[in-house]
Amino acid sequence: MTAPILLSLLLRVLGVGLSVYLLYRERDRRFVFLVVLLSLMALRQALTLFDVGSAVREVPAFLVSVLAVGLAFYLVRYVREENETKERLREMNAQLQASRNRLRAAMNASPEYIFLLDGAARYREVLSGEDEITVHPPEDLAGRAVEEVLPEETASAVREAVERTAESGEIQRTEYPMRRDDGVEWYEARTACVRYPDEEVRDVLLTARDVTERKERERKLRRFRRAIETAGHAIYITDDSGRITYVNPAFEEITGYASEEAVGRTPDLLDSGQMSEDYFAELWSTVRSGEVWEEEILNERRDGSLYYAQQTVAPVTDESGTVREFVAIQTDITPLKERERQLNVLSRVLRHNLRNEMNLILGKAQTIQESADGAIASDAAQIERVGERLLDLAETYREILDLIETSGARHRIRLVDRIRAEVRELREAHPNAEVEVAFDCPEDVAAVAIPGIERAVGELLENAVVHSDREPPEVELHVESTADHVRIRVADRGPGIPPTEWEILTGEHEIDPLSHGTGLGLWLVHWLVTRAGGHLSFEENDPRGSVVTIQLQRASDPEGESDE
């Protein structure tokens, strides 16, 4: 029996030694309980080996029993705490899984591509996004360097951002293009450092967003800004309260106000005091209602001089239709207004002074013819003929000036009666002329034209008769209509209009010092037709003479609409 007891004692001593070692290494107080328990058991075994009295041997056994009871209570408490810990772990795992699910859902819903890279710019994982952003599918990216995935220029920019973030921990931002078969896409990339507990290794989270639309908007905005900066018109922008927020260089040049002098002020700084309060009230009422305002305005420059401008003010609205800004464009028309004044003066001279003086000359010429004979009477008759031609020329010039001065707004105009009136006047003035007229159109046919367009037809008829070298002069007038147009054709059998003259009128040939026209009549026709939005064409007649065609847009015939 001694050998088993010695072996049992040895094992218990070894257990005590092992427990002391574990207590020293783990610093867990529960090993103290194990050391005491094993020591008492080893003591009882030693007392048994040395045949100590049973009363003494039972003391360690009693203490072991006490410790065993305490161990049972401890185990009950430990199991309870373990169960509570497991429950808390289950709750934490559930919360962690829910957080992961929310994070995954957020990543899947994100318009951004999200990658995890190591500090050496190698892909570790694709967290979000499709494979359009790389040349490899996401499952093939792990372990690849950015140079293997992205084009060289793009990879260089991404690597630099990743390495800086891994080294400094700072967020980096970069933009780069991705060239594809159907064009170029732009991406904005941001990097953030990912740190792990108790580890020096740093990964980098890279997010990339497609900003192609934004880059295209920026490109268009730059083009628009360059266009504004180089425009020859004064352009300024105000906020919704009317304060200037931007002026272009032409504004500075035309008004004399530098940008820093104008920005922050209202357009009142240009007020000349010559425009009525009603003008501005109507202007603001129009643009604040979302409509565009177009009118002339008389403004004052910084140096106090006045200038006329054709002004267009347009509201700028947001997605909801609310007016946020106003854009004003001014075209300096001061030289044009000055030319208009000069034309007015010239028109008054032609209308009154020249006519009065020429009538005096014609009266004198007639008196001389009546009181003289021979060469003197012949000269007086020639003076009268030249004077009448000058009066006709002055009258045509006056008509041209009137045409230039008027706005020439287009209206729906019925043509047949007006053209017949011109034919009657021609026949009364030249009763020997043979005028053939044909109307292949409805009696109520109408064209979109300006008031006085029939004067162009009369001028063509007059020109054909006066310049004819035949007796009697022969003229053909033909009016026809189609679904879209009205065509008026005037043909003669005279010497015809020289091609060089009609080439000047149609713009095929420029006027030069050697160009000599037959007069202002054809120019009057040209300007009348052009202002009416029509087309004027010339051709040679067969066997001789000219054919002039006026083509106008045919007007619809709504019931109840009146003609000008």
Side-chain angles (χ1 to χ4, degrees):
M1 293 296 292
T2 303
I5 293 175
L6 287 173
L7 181 58
S8 177
L9 177 61
L10 178 61
L11 290 174
R12 292 175 182 179
V13 171
L14 289 175
V16 172
L18 180 60
S19 298
V20 171
Y21 170 74
L22 292 174
L23 174 63
Y24 173 76
R25 194 185 72 172
E26 301 297 335
R27 297 293 195 271
D28 190 334
R29 289 177 294 178
R30 285 176 293 187
F31 286 107
V32 174
F33 176 84
L34 186 59
V35 169
V36 173
L37 180 63
L38 291 175
S39 297
L40 290 174
M41 293 174 65
L43 177 60
R44 185 180 184 282
Q45 197 71 24
L47 293 176
T48 302
L49 180 63
F50 292 105
D51 197 19
V52 178
S54 60
V56 176
R57 290 199 308 270
E58 289 302 320
V59 172
F62 172 76
L63 295 176
V64 168
S65 298
V66 172
L67 289 176
V69 173
L71 177 61
F73 282 104
Y74 173 77
L75 289 175
V76 171
R77 179 184 174 187
Y78 177 79
V79 169
R80 185 183 299 115
E81 291 179 350
E82 183 180 28
N83 290 335
E84 292 175 354
T85 301
K86 288 180 179 179
E87 183 61 29
R88 286 197 298 271
L89 286 175
R90 280 194 295 270
E91 293 176 358
M92 292 175 63
N93 284 334
Q95 293 175 359
L96 180 59
Q97 187 61 44
S99 297
R100 287 179 176 174
N101 291 339
R102 288 194 296 270
L103 179 60
R104 176 58 60 186
M107 287 183 173
N108 291 336
S110 172
E112 298 180 343
Y113 299 85
I114 305 175
F115 305 94
L116 186 66
L117 297 90
D118 60 22
R122 289 185 174 273
Y123 288 91
R124 294 191 59 184
E125 188 178 356
V126 179
L127 301 176
S128 174
E130 301 176 355
D131 58 355
E132 286 88 349
I133 197 171
T134 64
V135 296
H136 296 281
E139 59 270 15
D140 294 342
L141 292 183
R144 291 180 180 271
V146 292
E147 287 79 7
E148 301 177 65
V149 176
L150 302 172
E152 181 179 354
E153 181 181 355
T154 302
S156 176
V158 172
R159 171 174 288 279
E160 182 178 359
V162 169
E163 290 178 346
R164 284 187 178 180
T165 297
E167 180 180 352
S168 65
E170 296 178 354
I171 294 176
Q172 300 293 318
R173 176 185 174 277
T174 185
E175 291 183 352
Y176 58 84
M178 287 288 289
R179 303 189 183 277
R180 306 189 185 281
D181 294 338
D182 57 349
V184 178
E185 295 179 350
W186 280 88
Y187 291 88
E188 178 187 78
R190 293 177 182 268
T191 56
C193 187
V194 179
R195 293 181 175 87
Y196 301 100
D198 302 325
E199 291 186 24
E200 295 183 359
V201 176
R202 292 182 177 182
D203 285 341
V204 175
L205 195 68
L206 184 143
T207 62
R209 177 190 292 268
D210 188 341
V211 293
T212 306
E213 291 185 4
R214 192 200 75 198
K215 297 289 285 188
E216 180 63 18
R217 287 195 301 271
E218 290 176 352
R219 185 184 68 82
K220 291 181 179 179
L221 185 60
R222 286 193 299 270
R223 288 179 58 191
F224 178 70
R225 188 176 184 87
R226 284 196 300 269
I228 290 179
E229 295 289 339
T230 57
H233 307 288
I235 300 174
Y236 63 92
I237 300 174
T238 75
D239 58 21
D240 57 356
S241 65
R243 295 203 171 274
I244 297 174
T245 58
Y246 168 82
V247 299
N248 73 336
F251 177 93
E252 298 177 306
E253 181 180 351
I254 292 173
T255 68
Y257 287 97
S259 175
E260 55 271 16
E261 295 176 303
V263 172
R265 300 176 65 180
T266 68
D268 289 344
L269 85 163
L270 303 175
D271 188 5
S272 64
Q274 303 294 316
M275 308 303 294
S276 68
E277 293 184 2
D278 292 341
Y279 174 93
F280 293 107
E282 187 176 355
L283 185 159
W284 285 111
S285 174
T286 300
V287 297
R288 281 177 173 150
S289 67
E291 301 295 327
V292 177
W293 170 269
E294 291 186 80
E295 287 290 343
E296 286 185 11
I297 189 171
L298 180 59
N299 279 338
E300 182 177 291
R301 295 185 176 93
R302 189 177 187 277
D303 61 6
S305 61
L306 302 180
Y307 72 96
Y308 285 91
Q310 182 67 36
Q311 178 171 253
T312 301
V313 184
V316 179
T317 59
D318 59 16
E319 293 78 3
S320 65
T322 303
V323 175
R324 295 300 184 189
E325 292 180 313
F326 301 101
V327 177
I329 303 175
Q330 289 189 349
T331 303
D332 188 353
I333 59 172
T334 306
L336 179 61
K337 299 296 285 189
E338 180 61 28
R339 285 194 294 272
E340 286 183 0
R341 286 194 292 270
Q342 294 169 356
L343 288 174
N344 287 334
V345 172
L346 185 56
S347 179
R348 287 196 299 272
V349 171
L350 290 173
R351 186 174 286 113
H352 302 291
N353 302 53
L354 180 60
R355 176 171 290 277
N356 292 338
E357 296 296 333
M358 286 304 302
N359 285 331
L360 178 61
I361 292 174
L362 292 176
K364 292 291 185 182
Q366 291 174 355
T367 301
I368 293 172
Q369 289 183 70
E370 294 172 356
S371 61
D373 53 17
I376 295 176
S378 177
D379 290 342
Q382 184 177 6
I383 291 173
E384 184 179 6
R385 288 193 299 272
V386 172
E388 288 176 348
R389 287 202 299 271
L390 287 175
L391 277 178
D392 290 340
L393 183 63
E395 181 63 23
T396 303
Y397 192 22
R398 187 190 62 77
E399 289 186 59
I400 292 174
L401 291 177
D402 290 342
L403 176 65
I404 294 174
E405 291 174 5
T406 58
S407 61
R410 298 171 190 169
H411 304 280
R412 179 184 178 277
I413 296 178
R414 294 175 64 175
L415 293 174
V416 174
D417 289 342
R418 293 171 181 252
I419 293 175
R420 283 198 173 112
E422 292 293 328
V423 173
R424 283 196 301 271
E425 289 184 11
L426 178 72
R427 285 172 172 166
E428 291 174 0
H430 305 277
N432 65 323
E434 295 183 0
V435 184
E436 183 179 336
V437 181
F439 289 96
D440 291 336
C441 61
E443 284 290 320
D444 60 350
V445 69
V448 177
I450 61 173
I453 185 62
E454 69 278 4
R455 184 69 185 88
V457 180
E459 185 64 34
L460 290 176
L461 294 173
E462 178 78 15
N463 188 69
V465 170
V466 170
H467 293 286
S468 176
D469 56 0
R470 288 174 171 263
E471 283 297 336
E474 298 179 7
V475 184
E476 295 178 3
L477 171 64
H478 182 227
V479 182
E480 64 176 355
S481 63
T482 66
D484 300 320
H485 299 100
V486 178
R487 294 188 183 91
I488 305 167
R489 183 176 179 272
V490 178
D492 67 73
R493 293 186 177 86
I497 303 171
T500 53
E501 185 164 348
W502 82 50
E503 287 173 358
I504 291 175
L505 289 168
T506 58
E508 300 175 34
H509 184 72
E510 294 293 331
I511 298 178
D512 56 48
L514 300 179
S515 301
H516 298 284
T518 57
L520 293 174
L522 286 178
W523 281 107
L524 176 61
V525 174
H526 169 71
W527 284 323
L528 281 167
V529 173
T530 301
R531 290 217 170 185
H535 177 69
L536 186 67
S537 62
F538 300 84
E539 59 183 308
E540 294 181 352
N541 201 2
D542 186 21
R544 70 191 298 264
S546 298
V547 178
V548 184
T549 303
I550 298 173
Q551 178 173 287
L552 302 171
Q553 179 185 348
R554 183 170 179 174
S556 58
D557 191 17
E559 294 183 3
E561 182 176 336
S562 61
D563 297 317
E564 289 291 329

